[in-house]
Structures are given as C-alpha cells and as structure tokens.
C-alpha cells in the first residue's frame, strides 16, 4: 500500500471509531457515561482512579487501601495494573494534569474519559486489523471494511461499556494472526514473539483465550496452505517451540505474578451441569454477543468463493465459532473450565470479517447464476429464522432488523442490476460501513443504554448517596484529619459497593475484585465465619459488627445513615454527625503491631467456636507452625438451656418449614447476666429449594442475604455466625420455604478479653511507619515476647529483616503477617515485592537478550546463505 493509502486508513479509522461511538458521545454531552452501572461503577472506575493515584506517587506493587491490604500488581493484573492501554492513558492524564489541562481527577473524570479511551482504542484496533487483513492479500478498501466489521462488532461496545479492560483483547488478536502469517510466509518469528509477549503482559486471562484461538488458527493453516506460504509444517513446529518459550520468558514480569495472584484467589468450583449446546439467541437479528453481517451469510452460499483458500480459512473459522457460540461447554472451556462465559465471541467476529473481506474482492469472478442463488438462499434463511424464531422476537429491535433486511435488499439490487462494476462495489462497501455504524449506535442505545441500564450511569448518580456523596466524604475525612493514626480504617460502603473506600479515598475494610487473597476469604468463610451482610463471591465487607475484629484490624470509625437501622458494635460511641449521617468511633482500637509469647495452635482450635478463636487472637496469636504454649476451650453453649419455638411454620429434626410469608424460630433464653454484651449465634442454613431466589435472613437486629442455589455467585458456604446484642429472645427469620437448619450454637460475650488486650496494648507502644509496601517497626523487647503480629494480610511477596538479617515471614491469626522477635532492640522491616518478581524480572531480561541474540544470529546467517 502506498503512503497516502495509510494516511487515508489512519484518518478513516479515527473517523469511523468516533462515529461508531456517536450515541455515547451524545450521552456524554448529557453527563451520562459509557460505563456499566454495576461492575463498571463498582470496579472499573474505582480501580482506575485508585491505580492512577498510586502510580502518581510511585507505588506500583502494594497498598493497604486495597481492601485490608493487598498486592495491587498481581491482584489487579486481571483489570488494569499491567494493561498497556491503561498505562498509556495514565501518562496522558498525568501530563494533562501536570500542565493544567485536566483537573479534579476523580471517578467522575474517569467516567467522562471512558468514551474517549474506547473510541481511541477502537481506532487502533481498526488500524492494526486493516494492516493484518491487507498483509493477508485483501485489497485495502475491503481490508478496512473487514476491520470495521471486526472492531465495531456488538461485543466491542458491550465489553468496553461493562468491563473496559476486556476490549483490550481486540488489539492483540489480529497481532497474533499477523505473527503466525509472518512466520509462515516470510519465516519471520519476531512478530509472533511480540504479539504473544504483549498478550501475556497485558492480561493473563485473555492471553489464555487468545492463545486457544491462535492455536486453532495455526493448526488450520497446516490444513489450508496458501500460495504465499514459505515455511513447511516441520519447520513451523521447530520455530513455534522457541517462539513460545521466548514469549513466556519476556511476558514473565507480568504473567507470573498475575497468574500466582489468580491461583491464590478462592472461588467455589462451578458444579452445575454444563450443556453441550443451547440455542440461546439469534445471531442473524438480535444477538448481544455475535451478530453475523448479512454479507457473510450471503457469501456462505456462493460456491465460487470456496475455490479461494483464504476465504475457506476464514469461513471455516467463522463456522466453527458459530458452533462455539451455541455451546456452553465451549464457553466453559474458554473460561478456564469454570462457569460458561461467552467472552471469546470477538474471535468469531474477526473470522467472519476476514471472510467478508476476501469475498468482496472475489465478487468479480462469481457467475451471475451463483449470485442469484446465494441471494435467494440468504433471503430464505432470514425469512425462515424470522418466522421460526422463538427466543429473541420479544427483544427484537425493529430498527436493527430493518437495517439488516435493508442491507440484504441493497446487496441484491447492486449485484443483480449494477453488477460488480466499480461504482457498485463502492456503493456496497459504503452501504456496509454505514449499516455497521447504524447497527453499532442502535445497539448502544437499545442493548446497552436501555436494556443494560447504562442510562443510569450519570454524574448525578456518581455524586449521590449511593456512590460518592459529599455528606459522606466530609464527615469521614474531617474525622481522619483530626486523628493522629494515619492507618485508621473506616467501615462504610455506599449501596453495597464494596470498593467505596477506593472511591471516597479512605482505608476501609471491604473489597470487590475477581482476584482476592484467598487467605482473607478463608478467614471470612471458614476460620471466623464472618457474615458480610450479603453473600457473594469475589468480595468481602465489614466484620459482621463484631467488636473484637474491629479493634484488632484497626477499624476506628463506622458511618451509618440516620434513617437506617444498622447495628452499632460494642465500644463505638457517636463521634460526629450531619443532617443525614452519624459517625461512630471505636474506643478500643488495639495497636497496629502487637507482640506476644502466647501461641495457640490452629489445629487445636478447629473444634471451638469463632468467638473463642477471636479470644485466642486477642490473648496471643494463632499459628499453624509454631508449637502451642496455651489452649482454649469454648464456654458453655447456651443452646443447652434454651427453648426453641417455631414461628410461622414448623421446626423438627433440623428441618424448618416456613408456611407464612416470614417465619423461623425463637430461641428463648430468659433473663440474662448484665455483664453479657453480645450473643454469637452459629448455625448451618440451607434453602432446600434448588430454584429458590435470593432470600433474606434476619436475627434480631442483624440482617443479611443468601444467594439462590442457581446463582453462579454463591459461596457454597452455609455455616453462619451472627453477632447480635444480648437479648432474652433471639429471633431467626427467613421467607416462606423449606430449610435445613442444624448445628445451632450460642455463646455470650462480655468483652473482658478485649478490655484486657486494650490495657496491655497501651503499656508498650511500638513505633510504626508505613510507606507503601514497606512497614518499619522499632521495638525494645524487654518482656521476652517471641512474635510480633500485624493486621496486614499475609501473601507471598512479603519479606522481613530483623536488625538487618532476613528471617521467615509467618502467617499468623489465620491470614495475617508476623515474625519472630529477638531479645532487646528489634529494628524490623517488612517489605513487599510481587510474587516471584525477581525471578520474573530475570526471565524477562533473559528472554529479551535471547530474542535479541536470535535476531542477531539470523541477521548474520542470512547474508552468508545468500553469498
């Protein structure tokens, strides 16, 4: 292609990309954003804002603000922490803020920026894809059209809106295809090394999916050989081995920490039956995932096109992904053999786009009879699907259907009356591009804004009480500014949005991410059975109003709305208030770093209650490796003296049948000891109906919710512990239905152990300083304590030095950091690097050097072979 062609393609890519987002640019003028109201608002914007603020101060690896603390390089690699697109965006925004072009870089700013980032990314996708299709010998007008059919496919806008980082995969897929073609046609391996390395560095999850695609593509190329092919299959295999090894080595700096973070996450295994096939939508008219261009359907019925091997290549891929589209089993395979997800559909769009590009440039050679036959077959198929459809007509968009049919008519008229002359082809290409733009914008309005509720993603919402209201922030930050503790945590989430601490910029005790520290999740699910107020995977929130945990884990404040009935934990008193909210302060916060010589064995405590485990953590520490120096037993179980009465149903032999709208059991205890402050009620609860929806659970003042058994977001953890204020009667209530309710245990709490810990903690404070992923402690050990314990989650990557000498980091109190002390002065430094970061960096350096050496060797060898 000539230089002016590429300038035209560059301009056309930018113009088309921005026109393809015309609807969202219009929405932008009305303060509505191209961001999903759920994960978009709850994850995408908070993570981008949070990472931007971290990167600005040079913190790339760790933050105590992420939940209870976590490695952001590895745990957020699934999202943005290793994304090239986000890093380039960061540089642009940072420079813009530096020169005064941008101000107030908050979540609203990132919401406003979303449509621009997505449009610019799409322009890059179009430019790259055009080059790839052009390299495969598709003429440039048709290559550009194919790129538009791929880039502006329905899934791009769905991904970019709801899970923005998903759309980055559109960039790397064509580069992988280019790499394979460069190898086969020119024996140039370095394009594929570049593409694979970029995929591995940017996102391990989509690298996995893209590599499945490129493996299928490479195998198909063994079967479908093209005239331009230079490298034989054995030589290809010989080249693929070092290419794969070098790519993984170069990508190791991101890939290894990211995969370790993913493997260290906990998500219950998906146990539901996965069907092989399911006709779940209509890919001719109304699919939100994979909408076939009418031209592909038309070309699929033309026999002459199958004489071209390039068309056969892309058509076979297209047909294969049409089959994949209707297979939940394949959706599971692309999702790591977990719950079926159809995030791979953009690969099918790439395949059918390539087939359309090849088909267009071959139309001149198609006999008129085959054109008529193909047109008739296409029209018949559209008519049959329209008449027989029983799964999408209810949501069929009339405008989208109209333009799909209009395009088929235009194709027919052009081909039958104008033939395949140049004016006809220009009209056909232009019509297809216009249709693609119309389809993209209509889809944005119907499928995303209205049915997907993006119309609710507004500036007004982002400044409301459900997201980031000034009344909430001002009360929290006024208290934090007057407090001398820079690590004080605040319990507060707006409308169940667990990343509120990132949005409102404070240290909280909640997080929502697909990749979290599994030790923290096990702490919530099993070790302490902390109820979060809402059952769901990929998140943790609060401590179930359990004062011992608030005090040990540095929660100094709790914000509540005045019109709510949120329980207030023991020891919290009113600190400040405004018209809408009250802020309570914890009077019993324990020191950040605590020392002890009392060791409890994790194994010894397996049979005791969560309350007794809390007492063990207050009195000393719980360890899996250290020799126990003390033991604890449960106090008397109050259920042994309590009476149980069924309310609104029956309760017999562990089965609770609720026949009224709400019902359950009353646990009657009678008059209580005045010293008892709270009750801890533990039980096993399971809804016996496999089709029951999400249901509420209430015990006295404490409310929570449990997932449906059909939900893929259920935890499968049904052992529950709930703390309530001490009462003569504990009332457990659930909606109408049948439940298994067993293993009832009830223990009372006086908080004497907490008060004892508070008194001891005030006697010998430990000097503490925190700087990102480095924590320094100064302590004069005059009491022969053996260990120090921090309220910082344990994860691989932490190292510790005591008086300049390295020693093991220990996992104590189930999920937290600790290490051994020495007698006398202890200068302790905990430092964090991403898991296996030194190894990963070394592999990347070795990979780059080896790739450079291979390139040098090939360059030296090539001239000699020609001489």
């Amino acid at each position: 292609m000539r230089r002016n062609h590429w300038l035209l393609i560059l301009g056309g890519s930018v113009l088309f990309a921005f026109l393809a987002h015309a609807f969202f640019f219009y929405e932008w003028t009305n303060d509505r954003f191209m961001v999903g109201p759920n994960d978009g608002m709850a994850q995408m914007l908070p993570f981008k804002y949070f990472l931007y603020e971290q990167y600005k101060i040079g913190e790339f690896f760790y933050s105590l603000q992420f939940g209870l603390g976590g490695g952001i390089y590895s745990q957020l690699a699934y999202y943005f922490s290793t994304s090239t697109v986000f890093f380039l965006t960061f540089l642009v925004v940072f420079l813009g803020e530096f020169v005064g072009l941008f101000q107030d870089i908050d979540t609203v700013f990132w919401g406003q920026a979303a449509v621009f980032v997505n449009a610019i990314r799409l322009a890059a996708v179009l430019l790259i894809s055009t080059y790839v299709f052009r390299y495969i010998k598709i003429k440039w007008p048709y290559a550009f059209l194919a790129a538009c059919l791929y880039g502006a496919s329905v899934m791009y806008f769905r991904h970019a809106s709801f899970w923005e980082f998903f759309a980055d995969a559109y960039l790397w897929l064509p580069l992988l295809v280019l790499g394979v073609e460069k190898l086969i046609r020119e024996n140039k391996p370095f394009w594929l090394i570049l593409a694979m390395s970029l995929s591995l560095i940017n996102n391990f999850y989509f690298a996995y999916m893209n590599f499945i695609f490129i493996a299928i593509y490479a195998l198909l190329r063994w079967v479908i050989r093209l005239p331009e092919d230079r490298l034989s299959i054995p030589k290809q295999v010989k080249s693929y081995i070092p290419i794969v090894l070098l790519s993984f080595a170069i990508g190791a700096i991101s890939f290894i920490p990211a995969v370790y973070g993913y493997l260290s996450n906990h998500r219950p295994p998906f146990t539901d039956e996965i069907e092989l096939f399911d006709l779940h939508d209509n890919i001719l008219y109304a699919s939100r995932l994979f909408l076939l261009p009418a031209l592909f359907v038309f070309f699929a019925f033309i026999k002459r096109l199958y004489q071209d091997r390039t068309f056969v290549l892309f058509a076979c891929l297209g047909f294969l992904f049409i089959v994949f589209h209707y297979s939940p089993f394949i959706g599971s395979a692309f999702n790591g053999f977990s719950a079926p997800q159809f995030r791979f559909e953009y690969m099918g769009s790439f395949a059918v786009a390539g087939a359309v590009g090849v088909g267009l440039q071959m139309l001149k050679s198609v006999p008129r009879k085959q054109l008529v036959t193909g047109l008739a077959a296409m029209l018949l198929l559209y008519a049959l699907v329209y008449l027989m459809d029983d799964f999408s007509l209810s949501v069929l968009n009339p405008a989208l259907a109209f333009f799909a049919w209009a395009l088929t008519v235009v194709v027919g008229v052009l081909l039958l009356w104008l033939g395949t002359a140049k004016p006809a082809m220009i009209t056909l290409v232009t019509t297809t591009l216009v249709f693609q733009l119309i389809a993209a914008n209509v889809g944005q309005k119907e499928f995303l804004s209205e049915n997907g509720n993006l119309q609710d993603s507004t500036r007004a919402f982002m400044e409301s009480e459900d997201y980031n209201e000034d009344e909430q922030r001002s009360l929290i930050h006024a208290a934090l500014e007057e407090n001398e503790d820079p690590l004080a945590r605040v319990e507060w989430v707006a409308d169940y949005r667990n990343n509120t601490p990132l949005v409102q910029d404070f240290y909280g005790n909640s997080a929502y991410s697909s990749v979290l520290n599994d030790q923290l999740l096990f702490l919530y699910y099993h070790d302490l059975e902390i109820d979060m107020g809402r059952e769901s995977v990929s998140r943790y929130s609060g401590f179930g109003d359990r004062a011992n945990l608030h005090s040990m884990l540095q929660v100094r404040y709790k914000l509540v709305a005045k019109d709510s009935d949120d329980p207030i934990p023991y020891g919290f008193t009113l600190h400040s208030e405004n018209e809408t909210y009250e802020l309570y302060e914890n009077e019993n916060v324990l020191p950040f770093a605590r020392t002890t010589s009392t060791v409890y064995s994790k194994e010894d405590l397996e049979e005791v209650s969560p309350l007794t485990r809390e007492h063990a953590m207050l009195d000393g520490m719980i360890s899996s490796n250290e020799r126990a120096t003390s033991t604890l037993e449960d106090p008397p179980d109050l259920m042994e003296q309590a009476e149980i009465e069924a309310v609104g149903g029956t309760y017999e032999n562990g089965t609770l049948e609720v026949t009224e709208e709400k019902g359950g059991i009353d646990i009657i205890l009678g008059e209580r000891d005045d010293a008892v402050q709270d009750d801890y009620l533990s039980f096993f609860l399971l809804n016996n109906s496999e089709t029951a929806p999400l249901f509420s659970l209430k015990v006295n003042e404490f409310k929570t919710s449990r997932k449906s058994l059909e939900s893929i977001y259920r935890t499968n953890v049904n052992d529950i512990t709930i703390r309530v204020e001490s009462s003569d009667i504990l009332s457990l209530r659930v909606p109408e239905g049948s439940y298994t309710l067993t293993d009832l245990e009830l223990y009372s709490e006086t908080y004497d152990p907490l008060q004892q810990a508070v008194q001891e903690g005030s006697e010998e404070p430990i000097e503490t300083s925190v700087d990102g992923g480095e924590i320094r402690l100064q302590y004069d050990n005059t009491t022969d304590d053996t260990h120090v314990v921090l309220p910082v989650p344990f994860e691989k990557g932490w190292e510790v030095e005591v008086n300049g000498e390295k020693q093991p980091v220990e996992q104590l109190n189930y999920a937290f950091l600790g290490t051994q002390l020495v007698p006398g002065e202890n200068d302790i430094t905990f430092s964090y690097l991403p898991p296996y970061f030194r190894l990963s960096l070394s592999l990347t350096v070795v990979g780059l050097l080896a790739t450079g050496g291979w390139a040098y060797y090939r360059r030296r060898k090539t001239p000699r072979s020609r001489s």
Side-chain angles (χ1 to χ4, degrees):
M1 280 178 64
R2 294 191 299 271
R3 190 174 187 179
N4 60 332
H5 279 162
W6 281 117
L7 290 175
L8 185 62
I9 291 297
L10 174 60
S13 297
V14 172
L15 177 62
F16 187 91
F18 276 77
L19 289 176
H21 289 82
F23 172 78
F24 281 123
F25 278 111
Y26 171 77
E27 292 289 274
W28 180 84
T29 63
N30 292 289
D31 279 336
R32 291 189 290 267
F33 307 136
M34 190 179 176
V35 179
N38 297 317
D39 285 350
M41 288 287 183
Q43 290 186 318
M44 305 306 121
L45 296 188
F47 289 158
K48 291 172 80 172
Y49 169 62
F50 167 66
L51 288 173
Y52 178 79
E53 293 299 316
Q54 292 297 305
Y55 290 179
K56 271 205 311 186
I57 60 175
E59 294 293 345
F60 297 93
F61 297 144
Y62 192 87
S63 175
L64 283 173
Q65 191 183 357
F66 178 51
L68 292 172
I72 58 177
Y73 185 79
S74 57
Q75 293 184 43
L76 292 181
Y78 176 66
Y79 297 93
F80 299 108
S81 66
T82 60
S83 165
T84 300
V85 173
F86 176 73
F87 194 72
L88 292 174
T89 306
F90 162 77
L91 290 177
V92 171
V93 175
F94 180 76
L95 292 174
E97 185 181 24
F98 181 77
V99 300
L101 181 63
F102 303 135
Q103 297 178 349
D104 299 326
I105 312 299
D106 55 9
T107 49
V108 171
F109 171 86
W110 288 106
Q112 292 172 319
V115 65
F116 293 93
V117 173
N118 291 326
I120 293 170
R121 184 201 294 106
L122 179 56
V125 169
L126 299 181
L127 192 62
I128 293 170
S129 301
T130 301
Y131 176 80
V132 174
F133 288 130
R134 183 70 190 94
Y135 180 78
I136 298 173
K137 306 301 183 184
I138 300 176
K139 294 179 180 179
W140 75 263
Y142 310 133
F144 178 70
L145 172 62
C148 293
L149 293 177
Y150 163 61
S153 55
V154 289
M155 178 160 275
Y156 180 82
F157 303 101
R158 176 180 171 84
H159 276 182
S161 298
F162 292 122
W163 311 278
E164 186 185 311
F165 65 96
F166 282 12
D168 291 356
Y170 271 76
L171 291 164
W172 317 127
L173 185 73
L175 285 179
L176 288 166
V177 172
L178 178 65
V180 169
E181 291 296 335
K182 283 278 188 180
L183 177 69
I184 296 174
R185 295 168 186 248
E186 301 181 57
N187 191 20
K188 292 183 177 179
F190 302 107
W191 285 88
L192 186 54
I193 292 174
L194 173 66
M196 291 184 67
S197 300
L198 283 171
S199 294
L200 290 164
I201 288 170
N202 274 268
N203 190 287
F204 68 95
Y205 176 73
F206 280 96
Y208 163 76
M209 290 200 294
N210 280 344
F211 290 172
I212 293 176
F213 172 86
I214 206 60
I216 295 172
Y217 185 92
L219 290 173
L220 199 56
R221 286 292 273 112
W222 290 0
V223 179
I224 303 173
R225 302 283 289 170
L226 301 178
E228 299 84 5
D229 291 358
R230 171 182 170 186
L231 216 58
S232 66
I233 293 175
K235 288 184 177 179
Q236 289 179 42
V237 174
K238 189 177 178 181
S239 296
Y240 283 137
I241 294 172
I243 286 171
V244 170
L245 292 175
L246 290 172
S247 300
F248 272 88
I250 294 171
I253 191 170
S254 168
F255 182 73
I256 290 179
V259 169
Y260 182 86
Y262 170 76
L263 295 176
S264 297
N265 179 51
H266 171 72
R267 191 151 185 167
F270 184 76
T271 58
D272 294 357
E273 182 180 355
I274 299 175
E275 297 178 326
L276 185 59
F277 289 104
D278 176 29
L279 296 175
H280 53 81
D281 69 0
N282 186 329
I283 60 175
L284 293 184
Y285 286 109
S287 176
R288 294 172 171 83
L289 305 173
F290 186 21
L291 192 63
L292 288 182
L295 279 174
F296 176 78
V297 181
F298 173 59
F299 291 154
F301 291 107
I302 298 179
K303 181 179 177 180
R304 172 65 181 86
L305 299 182
Y306 291 94
Q307 295 177 14
D308 185 277
R309 289 179 172 270
T310 306
F311 180 82
V312 172
L313 171 67
F314 284 110
C316 287
L317 278 172
F319 295 143
L320 181 65
F321 275 88
I322 290 172
V323 174
F324 285 176
H325 172 77
Y326 289 112
S327 174
F329 175 78
I330 295 298
S332 173
F334 272 99
N335 197 36
F337 294 95
S338 182
Q341 295 285 0
F342 293 87
R343 296 165 181 156
F344 64 88
E345 303 276 21
Y346 62 96
M347 302 172 185
S349 296
F350 181 83
V352 300
V356 169
V358 177
L360 281 170
Q361 72 180 13
M362 289 186 62
L363 274 180
K364 291 180 181 180
S365 64
V366 177
R368 178 173 290 240
K369 182 178 180 181
Q370 290 190 24
L371 294 178
V372 174
T373 302
L375 178 60
M378 178 188 68
L379 293 173
L380 179 61
L381 178 63
Y382 270 91
L384 286 174
V385 171
Y386 183 85
L387 294 172
M388 297 174 62
D389 181 279
D390 61 356
F391 40 79
S392 69
L393 286 179
S394 60
V395 296
L396 180 63
N397 180 281
L400 195 59
F402 169 79
F403 284 113
W405 274 93
L407 181 62
T408 64
V409 174
V410 169
V411 170
V413 170
L414 286 172
L415 294 178
L416 290 175
W417 297 104
L418 299 178
T420 55
K422 188 174 181 179
M425 297 306 297
I426 293 174
T427 304
L428 182 57
V429 170
T430 303
T431 303
T432 305
L433 290 174
V434 170
F435 164 70
Q436 193 69 6
L437 287 173
I438 293 172
N441 283 279
V442 169
Q444 291 163 25
K445 179 180 183 295
E446 299 292 329
F447 292 157
L448 300 178
S449 181
E450 296 178 3
N451 293 331
N453 296 320
L454 260 71
Q455 60 192 355
D456 298 332
S457 299
T458 65
R459 174 192 284 270
F461 171 78
M462 296 180 70
E463 294 174 349
S464 73
E465 62 182 7
D466 292 329
Y467 197 78
N468 190 13
E469 188 180 47
D470 183 62
E471 276 194 283
Q472 301 164 4
R473 291 195 318 273
S474 59
L475 207 57
I476 290 171
H477 285 280
L480 291 174
E481 288 171 7
E482 72 180 35
N483 192 284
E484 296 180 356
D485 182 3
L487 301 175
R489 295 192 177 276
V490 180
E491 179 164 304
W492 167 246
V493 294
D495 191 35
Y496 295 105
R497 295 180 181 273
N498 292 16
N499 288 323
T500 294
L502 304 184
V503 174
Q504 299 190 8
D505 199 19
F506 60 84
Y507 290 162
N509 61 343
S510 61
Y512 172 35
S513 170
S514 290
V515 179
L516 291 169
N517 183 338
D518 61 353
Q519 299 304 316
L520 278 178
L521 296 177
F522 293 150
L523 178 84
Y524 273 81
Y525 293 164
H526 307 297
D527 300 324
L528 297 180
E529 297 178 10
I530 304 169
D531 191 276
M532 310 177 206
R534 179 190 184 195
E535 181 194 10
S536 183
V537 298
S538 301
R539 67 183 75 219
Y540 58 83
S541 179
F543 299 128
D545 297 310
R546 288 153 65 166
N548 295 329
L549 299 179
H550 283 92
S551 296
M552 284 188 284
L553 298 176
Q554 307 298 292
V555 178
R556 186 170 294 275
Y557 300 104
K558 178 181 174 72
L559 184 70
V560 298
K562 286 184 174 180
D563 60 0
S564 74
D565 53 359
D566 291 344
I568 305 301
Y570 167 85
F572 279 70
T573 58
L574 184 64
H575 174 275
S576 54
E577 62 181 316
N578 54 30
E579 291 185 4
T580 313
Y581 299 95
E582 295 175 335
L583 187 70
Y584 289 82
E585 183 174 9
N586 186 1
E587 298 178 341
N588 298 312
V589 177
L590 297 174
F592 182 82
R594 301 171 60 222
T595 64
T596 186
S597 58
T598 303
V599 182
Y600 295 97
S601 167
K602 179 180 177 180
E603 184 178 355
D604 291 344
L605 297 178
E606 286 182 354
E607 300 302 321
V608 302
S609 67
L611 177 59
T612 300
R613 296 172 191 171
E614 289 182 11
H615 290 167
M617 294 164 66
L618 287 168
D619 184 54
M621 70 180 198
I622 301 172
S623 174
S624 300
N625 303 316
E626 299 290 333
R627 182 176 62 85
T629 63
S630 189
T631 60
L632 275 179
E633 294 183 357
D634 277 331
D637 181 359
L638 300 182
M639 289 302 303
E640 297 177 0
Q641 64 191 51
E643 295 182 12
I644 299 179
E645 289 186 0
V647 177
T650 61
Y651 178 59
E652 295 180 0
N653 299 322
T655 299
L656 175 63
E657 298 283 353
V658 178
T659 55
E660 297 183 7
E661 184 177 352
K662 282 193 177 296
I665 62 170
D666 282 347
I667 302 172
I668 303 171
L669 296 168
E671 190 173 347
R672 309 295 301 281
D673 187 336
D674 291 340
V676 175
Q677 301 293 325
D678 286 340
D679 290 320
Y680 279 57
L681 178 64
S682 298
F683 51 91
F684 174 91
L685 179 68
L686 178 67
N687 194 321
N688 294 330
S689 171
E690 295 184 358
T691 59
L694 176 144
F695 68 94
S696 61
L697 165 66
K698 190 170 183 290
V699 179
N700 286 18
E701 74 274 13
F702 191 92
K703 293 181 291 187
T704 186
S705 64
R706 308 293 297 169
K707 289 289 185 185
S708 159
L709 293 182
E710 294 183 322
S711 172
I712 64 172
Y713 301 111
R714 66 185 185 275
T715 63
N716 289 330
V717 176
N718 299 300
D719 291 300
I720 303 169
T721 294
I722 289 178
R723 179 227 62 106
V724 293
E725 292 183 16
S726 176
S727 175
D728 296 345
I729 299 176
L730 274 69
S731 299
L732 184 153
R733 296 291 185 267
V734 289
E736 179 182 358
S738 175
Y739 304 83
T740 297
L741 177 61
T742 59
D743 301 333
L744 287 155
E745 297 180 3
L746 180 62
Y747 300 96
S748 61
E749 172 63 292
T750 63
Y751 291 107
D752 290 341
L754 175 59
Q755 296 300 331
Q756 179 68 25
V758 170
Q759 182 178 351
E760 293 174 355
S762 63
E763 294 174 356
E764 296 184 33
I766 300 174
E767 184 179 338
T768 304
S769 64
V770 178
D771 183 12
E774 183 175 278
I775 302 171
R776 297 200 63 183
L777 309 174
Q778 295 284 341
Y779 177 62
D780 185 8
N781 186 12
T782 60
T783 58
D784 294 327
D785 283 337
T786 60
H787 289 78
V788 62
V789 186
L790 307 182
V792 176
F794 174 91
E795 61 179 283
K796 192 170 188 64
W798 281 107
E799 297 177 347
V800 64
E801 290 186 356
V802 179
N803 297 332
E805 295 185 4
K806 282 191 175 183
Q807 66 180 46
V809 176
E810 297 194 32
Q811 182 176 345
L812 304 175
N813 288 347
Y814 297 111
F816 298 98
L817 282 184
T819 194
Q820 291 187 4
L821 298 170
V822 297
E825 290 293 331
N826 284 259
D827 184 355
I828 306 169
T829 301
F830 288 89
S831 57
Y832 178 87
L833 280 176
Y836 303 109
F837 188 74
R838 294 185 183 89
L839 171 63
S840 304
L841 180 60
S842 299
L843 285 173
T844 296
V845 172
V846 170
L848 289 170
L849 292 175
T851 302
W854 192 19
Y856 178 76
Y857 170 76
R858 286 169 57 88
R859 191 177 298 114
R860 290 289 301 272
K861 182 181 177 181
T862 301
R864 285 200 302 270
S865 66
R866 291 177 177 176
S867 60

